[in-house]
Amino acid sequence: MRRTDLPVSGSSRSEVAASNVGAALAEQRRVIGQQVMSGASGAETLAAMTDLVDGLILGCYGEAARHGGEAAADAGLRQSCVVALGGYGRRELAPRSDIDLMFLFRPAADEAVKAFIRAVLHPLWDCGFQVGHSVRTIADSIRLAQTDSMVKTSMMEARFLAGSSDLFKQFHYRYLQKVIAENVDGFLDQKLEERRREYEKFGETVYLLEPNIKKSKGGLRDSHLLQWAGRARYQAPTIRELSDRGILSRTDSVALTEAREFLWRVRALLHVHAGTAQEILTFDEQVWLAQHFGYQDQPHLLAVEQFMQQYYRHTMGLHECCTRFVQRCRSVPLWRRLTRLLPAPRVDQYFVIYGGTLTVADEHRVTVLESLALLLRLFDLAREKNLTIAPPLLDDIHRHSLHLAADAYREPEVSRLFLKIMAGPRTAPTLEVMHRAHLLEQLIPAMGTVRGLMQFNQYHKYTVDEHSLLAVGRAEALAHEPSMLGDVYRSIKRKDILHLSILMHDLGKGQEQDHSDVGKRMAEDVAGRLGLDEQDTKRFSFLVHRHLLMGHTAFRRDPNDEKVVFQFAREVGTPEMLKKLLTLTAADIAAVGPGVLTKWKESLLIALYTRTMPKVSGDPEIREVPERLIQFAEEVSRQPILAGQDGVDRAWVEAQLRQFPEQHLYGSGPARIAAHVAAIQRLRSGEVIVEADFHHDLGTCEYMVITHNDLSPGIFSKIAGVMAGSGLQILDAQILTRADGIVVDTFQVMDQDYQGEPPAERRRTVGDRIAAVLKGWEHVDDVLRRGARLKLTRPIPKPREAAEVRIDNETSDRFTIIDIFADDRQGLLYIMTNAIFTLGLSIHAARISTMLDQVCDVFYVTDRAGKKMQDHVRLELVRMGIEQAIEKFLEIKAA
């Protein structure tokens, strides 16, 4: 859109009549909207919108002056002026931005000025134009700006529109002297605090799934902050002027200009597409914008992921430039200036420490910037002494890192220093600074490839590079955890290999092949660059290649199955490798997003770890059956609920406990277990007993359903249906049918209707429903129908994935394992378990895993005779039958 093509030219402005404001506005917005959709740049769109609004306001201003008589003309042309503020003052109006005006008037002005202002504004209001306005004298403006930093920045960008130019000049001069030049550091502190509060509200990371393009970190507000700081400190109001005067580097100027143009264009498209001031980059808008920008899905990378990677790279660059610049705008205190006149403490000849800041002596700056080994020594020194590297030095490192000699990365000293950094402590914050300076990707090239690479799902909250850095931080945080995970982390010997594996575990994403296979090759390449020996290379590449192994085994397989544990132990090999893999798995899950590593998931990982350690250690002192069981049985038998009951002694209790999976005992106290055992002891034919308790440590409810196997067919399926109809999310299920025909089904669930512990009445109600359905008093379909509820989270816009059913007949000697992957819907678990029952199978154990809108459920099954299926034809019929039942259900739900 060329300026000569703009809808409102200067010569036509005065001809816009107030009566035609509405029609003119709608038509000109339509024209601009067409040009936005046709590829107009962000800068062109903002200029066109600003000229349009200028023309409309000046037209209304002229009409009010012409038709209001001599008093109105005097009020509008000599006693007052109209001024554009904020984004309008900066000439940065997006298609649906609000308009902020200030009417300045002389103290001696009479009521005619107020009448004149109303005559200007009413036509704009009548046509629905969003105009914010204030009416002030110069003294009012200065007094208000001195006490309100938001008003101060709005008026910093004041632009004269019409009226008395002499009055505006007086305002501008006095505002510069009395406001802008006063207490710059205090002003910067206020603006930084405002941005901090906005970060809290709109996102403290650049890598939000649905960012606010204006106010999230890295959004347009960061560029405004930079310009406010430049105007306050240097009286340079634009990026162009800051660059021309040498205040802003050429590199930063280009990065800022490109990022701002990209965001301007995206914002304009959002406004036009939504028909309103849409500032949130929603999932739907991301998909639409990716298509509009011409991105196409690739086998390894969706179009929307390519678009958002560009968005994140621009916003991260903008935020980093803003942060560095604002820091430079702050005054250096007198005491620090005097301190710098004294000899500063030097380290290793090259480095200088001022307070808590680390930098390089001026005479050695070029030498350090050209030496990768010295740069790594700089970062290692900052890590060791917990110092901050001076921002201007980070700028220089960023600019010089691309020009380092290619053979520098294979120097032994480089490898030694990098592995020292990786060993910790404070590895994660050091890596984050190295990544910001673009130095980390020179050592690990894949960190540059995944910079800003999003994963278009609601499970991962961060981009690949941020997730990888966060995972290292989550691992390091375990050093201070008084838990088994903390004990394991503290006992690991080679934390450099562990942290390096965690950093690289997901860097193979965004490639055509499986990211674990790609990651293995990347790990081997990095190992060669760092000069790792053969054994360290094998350990490192295994951890990267098989980083999903422990999670898949713990969450999808039964750790009480000896064959499962044996196969897992054989692949892991050694106690040290098991410790590293446990830590990597926990850190990986914790870094996916807040609250993803639940206590329940942690307990499953630890259960697998404790079952596997004896296999890989060969230590005869580590027993398969823990001594704790005997002691625990003694404690349970002494509980009041069992006291005085005939035939109940320690031996009887121990025999009962041995029939339960170990996970049932994990986190349970003697009183709770005693209640379960007592329930089994008092069970009578035809009865259903439901014991419901809340695990405070795990944050989950446990429902134990005890009855006889012959009470009702499809017991597990019916219980799953009742729980779905009651709004419970099943996390895990253990199904046990004892030799005496007693069924003990244990469910770990999240009650989504409550935060914290659900009330006892709620748990009792769910138990009564389960009993009623199992006894045949109520049908499970009626419970599901009554419990249908709205889904509160909005799914990512993408086509439904076809359900997938896999049969695993190799892992277990006793059971056929069925893995099911499908889109999650309320009642789906009931459909799956009912299909399994209808196909003549019995469920003995289940692993239920839901990741927002996707399920990955695993069932250990046999035929009705309790035997593992062997016939290949029947296995295929089972697979197809379950898959068809799920697809039919999902199609009905989608209709």
Side-chain angles (χ1 to χ4, degrees):
M1 184 189 304
R2 294 187 179 88
R3 295 298 299 273
T4 54
D5 298 329
L6 297 178
V8 179
S9 65
S11 61
S12 64
R13 285 175 177 166
S14 60
E15 301 170 4
V16 179
S19 59
N20 295 328
V21 167
L25 176 63
E27 173 60 19
Q28 303 296 2
R29 274 183 166 166
R30 184 189 67 78
V31 172
I32 292 175
Q34 285 181 339
Q35 293 173 327
V36 168
M37 289 298 190
S38 299
S41 72
E44 290 169 338
T45 302
L46 268 54
M49 280 302 306
T50 302
D51 284 347
L52 166 62
V53 175
D54 282 357
L56 291 172
I57 290 173
L58 292 178
C60 292
Y61 201 91
E63 287 293 311
R66 281 197 298 272
H67 297 292
E70 185 176 341
D74 179 70
L77 299 178
R78 288 177 287 278
Q79 300 299 318
S80 67
C81 66
V82 61
V83 179
L85 300 180
Y88 181 32
R90 291 192 305 270
R91 299 186 58 83
E92 293 180 9
L93 274 187
R96 294 285 175 173
S97 292
D98 291 342
I99 310 303
D100 191 7
L101 296 177
M102 179 174 68
F103 290 89
L104 274 177
F105 66 95
R106 301 183 189 278
D110 55 20
E111 286 296 317
V113 170
K114 296 179 180 179
F116 176 78
I117 292 171
R118 287 194 296 271
V120 174
L121 291 175
H122 278 178
L124 298 172
W125 288 337
D126 290 344
C127 69
F129 211 51
Q130 298 297 317
V131 182
H133 77 286
S134 56
V135 181
R136 300 171 181 144
T137 64
I138 293 176
D140 293 336
S141 302
I142 291 174
R143 184 169 55 251
L144 189 57
Q146 288 172 333
T147 58
D148 188 323
S149 64
M150 295 186 71
V151 172
K152 178 176 179 177
T153 53
S154 178
M155 287 194 283
M156 282 173 72
E157 295 156 328
R159 179 169 59 89
F160 175 75
L161 289 175
S164 172
S165 60
D166 288 341
L167 180 61
F168 179 77
K169 289 175 183 177
Q170 292 176 34
F171 160 78
H172 189 267
Y173 176 78
R174 291 181 61 186
Y175 196 81
L176 179 64
Q177 298 299 314
K178 298 284 188 180
V179 179
I180 295 180
E182 288 289 319
N183 191 14
V184 174
D185 286 334
F187 166 69
L188 292 178
D189 287 340
Q190 288 179 317
K191 300 314 294 183
L192 287 170
E193 176 59 22
E194 287 173 13
R195 276 307 276 150
R196 187 192 64 77
R197 290 197 297 268
E198 286 181 330
Y199 292 157
E200 288 181 352
K201 183 176 181 180
F202 296 100
E204 296 191 64
T205 172
V206 169
Y207 304 115
L208 288 176
L209 284 176
E210 293 186 305
N212 183 304
I213 198 167
K214 182 177 179 181
K215 294 186 177 181
S216 291
K217 183 175 283 190
L220 286 166
R221 184 66 85 210
D222 277 356
S223 74
H224 302 159
L225 176 58
L226 183 145
Q227 290 172 264
W228 294 331
R231 186 186 290 263
R233 176 61 68 193
Y234 304 109
Q235 289 75 54
T238 66
I239 292 173
R240 174 77 176 270
E241 186 172 343
L242 288 168
S243 178
D244 289 347
R245 289 171 55 183
I247 301 168
L248 193 65
S249 72
R250 172 66 178 167
T251 302
D252 280 356
S253 174
V254 170
L256 285 166
T257 302
E258 291 178 352
R260 191 175 60 173
E261 166 57 34
F262 176 80
L263 293 176
W264 279 346
R265 187 180 175 202
V266 169
R267 190 181 185 211
L269 286 164
L270 283 176
H271 283 204
V272 172
H273 188 239
T276 187
Q278 170 75 355
E279 308 289 2
I280 305 296
L281 203 53
T282 66
F283 295 129
D284 294 315
E285 298 290 3
Q286 291 170 28
V287 172
W288 176 78
L289 284 164
Q291 182 180 17
H292 188 84
F293 273 73
Y295 291 103
Q296 296 183 347
D297 288 345
Q298 303 295 329
H300 59 290
L301 207 58
L302 296 174
V304 66
E305 292 173 336
Q306 298 170 57
F307 167 75
M308 288 305 293
Q309 185 172 30
Q310 183 183 13
Y311 172 87
Y312 291 135
R313 286 180 171 176
H314 279 309
T315 52
M316 176 51 79
L318 192 158
H319 177 70
E320 289 176 354
C321 289
C322 173
T323 301
R324 292 194 299 267
F325 181 78
V326 173
Q327 286 177 338
R328 291 203 302 271
C329 286
R330 303 175 72 85
S331 298
V332 179
L334 176 60
W335 67 267
R336 185 169 293 178
R337 292 201 299 270
L338 293 174
T339 301
R340 289 183 178 178
L341 297 176
L342 303 174
R346 291 217 177 187
V347 181
D348 294 352
Q349 176 186 348
Y350 300 98
F351 309 112
V352 181
I353 299 175
Y354 292 106
T357 301
L358 178 65
T359 188
V360 175
D362 291 340
E363 67 270 23
H364 295 304
R365 201 172 189 90
V366 174
T367 302
V368 171
L369 291 173
E370 292 178 349
S371 169
L372 182 55
L374 288 175
L375 287 174
L376 286 178
R377 177 59 185 138
L378 170 77
F379 284 95
D380 186 44
L381 187 62
R383 178 192 64 82
E384 285 181 335
K385 297 183 178 297
N386 199 17
L387 299 170
T388 299
I389 298 176
L393 178 57
L394 288 177
D395 291 350
D396 289 344
I397 294 171
H398 181 189
R399 286 192 292 272
H400 284 79
S401 61
L402 295 175
H403 307 295
L404 291 168
D407 57 353
Y409 304 101
R410 296 186 180 273
E411 293 177 8
E413 182 64 6
V414 168
S415 300
R416 185 189 71 79
L417 286 166
F418 184 61
L419 290 174
K420 186 183 175 192
I421 290 171
M422 297 306 299
R426 291 188 290 274
T427 297
T430 304
L431 293 176
E432 289 170 9
V433 178
M434 292 174 66
H435 190 47
R436 287 208 310 270
H438 292 249
L439 184 65
L440 185 56
E441 63 199 55
Q442 304 306 316
L443 293 154
I444 301 177
M447 283 299 294
T449 304
V450 300
R451 183 185 291 273
L453 178 61
M454 74 172 294
Q455 301 169 75
F456 195 61
N457 57 62
Q458 288 173 308
Y459 182 61
H460 287 88
K461 301 297 183 187
Y462 307 108
T463 56
V464 175
D465 56 329
E466 188 174 21
H467 164 74
S468 302
L469 293 166
L470 280 171
V472 177
R474 297 292 186 266
E476 286 195 291
L478 293 175
H480 310 290
E481 287 285 329
S483 63
M484 180 175 283
L485 280 176
D487 292 341
V488 169
Y489 176 79
R490 285 186 288 272
S491 71
I492 292 172
K493 298 172 183 175
R494 290 291 304 275
K495 290 188 175 65
D496 54 348
I497 299 298
L498 169 66
H499 294 154
L500 188 59
S501 303
I502 295 173
L503 178 67
M504 289 200 63
H505 76 279
D506 267 355
L507 299 192
K509 290 187 173 178
Q511 307 293 323
E512 292 189 30
Q513 295 173 293
D514 180 87
H515 81 280
S516 296
D517 294 334
V518 176
K520 181 176 184 289
R521 293 196 298 272
M522 290 178 173
E524 291 168 346
D525 177 66
V526 168
R529 291 161 68 95
L530 294 176
L532 298 183
D533 63 29
E534 183 179 354
Q535 289 304 312
D536 284 344
T537 299
K538 285 182 178 179
R539 296 184 187 105
F540 172 36
S541 63
F542 171 82
L543 288 169
V544 173
H545 185 220
R546 301 295 283 151
H547 69 274
L548 297 173
L549 173 63
M550 193 166 193
H552 285 177
T553 305
F555 305 148
R556 300 182 186 177
R557 294 296 180 261
D558 183 3
N560 295 296
D561 189 318
E562 283 296 314
K563 190 174 180 180
V564 168
V565 176
F566 178 77
Q567 289 176 342
F568 176 68
R570 185 173 60 183
E571 193 156 2
V572 173
T574 67
E576 189 69 12
M577 188 63 76
L578 179 61
K579 293 176 182 179
K580 287 185 173 72
L581 190 57
L582 172 64
T583 304
L584 190 158
T585 305
D588 181 18
I589 296 170
V592 166
V596 177
L597 181 63
T598 62
K599 287 292 185 180
W600 177 246
K601 288 180 181 176
E602 185 178 322
S603 74
L604 295 176
L605 291 172
I606 291 173
L608 177 59
Y609 173 83
T610 56
R611 293 278 294 167
T612 306
M613 184 56 78
K615 298 284 194 304
V616 296
S617 67
D619 187 347
E621 295 298 317
I622 301 177
R623 299 182 53 189
E624 292 289 341
V625 179
E627 300 249 356
R628 171 179 174 240
L629 183 63
I630 298 172
Q631 180 183 352
F632 192 64
E634 180 69 33
E635 294 176 11
V636 171
S637 64
R638 292 199 300 265
Q639 296 301 309
I641 195 172
L642 295 176
Q645 293 195 26
D646 292 338
V648 176
D649 56 16
R650 187 195 60 75
W652 182 84
V653 170
E654 185 180 335
Q656 297 295 323
L657 297 186
R658 289 181 183 277
Q659 296 190 58
F660 291 102
E662 287 180 20
Q663 293 95 308
H664 176 60
L665 305 179
Y666 180 82
S668 298
R672 178 174 291 151
I673 296 300
H676 294 163
V677 172
I680 293 173
Q681 211 249 357
R682 70 174 184 268
L683 180 68
R684 299 292 179 265
S685 179
E687 288 300 311
V688 178
I689 297 176
V690 181
E691 296 283 338
D693 293 293
F694 183 73
H695 286 259
H696 289 276
D697 291 341
L698 302 178
T700 62
C701 283
E702 176 187 281
Y703 285 84
M704 177 175 279
V705 182
I706 306 164
T707 188
H708 286 93
N709 192 38
D710 58 1
L711 177 67
S712 174
I715 290 175
F716 178 75
S717 174
K718 290 175 180 176
I719 297 172
V722 172
M723 289 186 167
S726 301
L728 304 180
Q729 180 187 356
I730 299 175
L731 303 174
D732 190 74
Q734 288 290 338
I735 299 96
L736 174 67
T737 303
R738 301 177 3 155
D740 57 4
I742 294 178
V743 172
V744 183
D745 289 356
T746 307
F747 296 81
Q748 298 291 336
V749 306
M750 291 284 291
D751 196 328
Q752 297 171 311
D753 290 345
Y754 295 90
Q755 287 190 343
E757 180 177 1
E761 179 62 29
R762 161 68 168 178
R763 302 197 297 268
R764 194 160 43 247
T765 299
V766 174
D768 291 344
R769 287 177 187 160
I770 292 171
V773 168
L774 293 184
K775 290 180 180 181
W777 298 348
E778 189 171 10
H779 199 281
V780 66
D781 289 343
D782 294 331
V783 177
L784 282 166
R785 192 161 38 250
R786 288 200 310 271
R789 55 191 64 203
L790 292 173
K791 198 167 181 67
L792 298 180
T793 57
R794 183 169 52 82
I796 287 178
K798 60 179 180 180
R800 182 174 71 80
E801 298 284 345
E804 182 180 0
V805 179
R806 301 175 187 169
I807 304 294
D808 176 2
N809 229 22
E810 302 296 328
T811 299
S812 175
D813 291 330
R814 295 179 52 205
F815 304 105
T816 295
I817 302 174
I818 302 174
D819 294 276
I820 302 176
F821 305 86
D823 289 349
D824 188 27
R825 297 293 184 272
Q826 185 182 10
L828 177 61
L829 181 59
Y830 168 64
I831 295 298
M832 293 189 293
T833 53
N834 188 58
I836 291 171
F837 169 74
T838 304
L839 289 163
L841 305 177
S842 295
I843 300 174
H844 294 265
R847 281 282 184 270
I848 311 301
S849 176
T850 303
M851 295 180 182
L852 294 166
D853 58 348
Q854 292 289 305
V855 299
C856 173
D857 295 347
V858 182
F859 302 94
Y860 279 64
V861 304
T862 65
D863 61 21
R864 293 286 168 80
K867 295 183 178 180
K868 178 179 177 179
M869 290 184 292
Q870 300 291 351
D871 183 72
H872 293 289
V873 174
R874 187 179 182 193
L875 288 170
E876 180 60 17
L877 289 174
V878 166
R879 189 194 67 77
M880 291 176 59
I882 298 172
E883 207 167 81
Q884 289 170 2
I886 295 171
E887 285 294 331
K888 181 178 179 181
F889 171 75
L890 293 177
E891 287 173 5
I892 293 172
K893 284 287 186 179

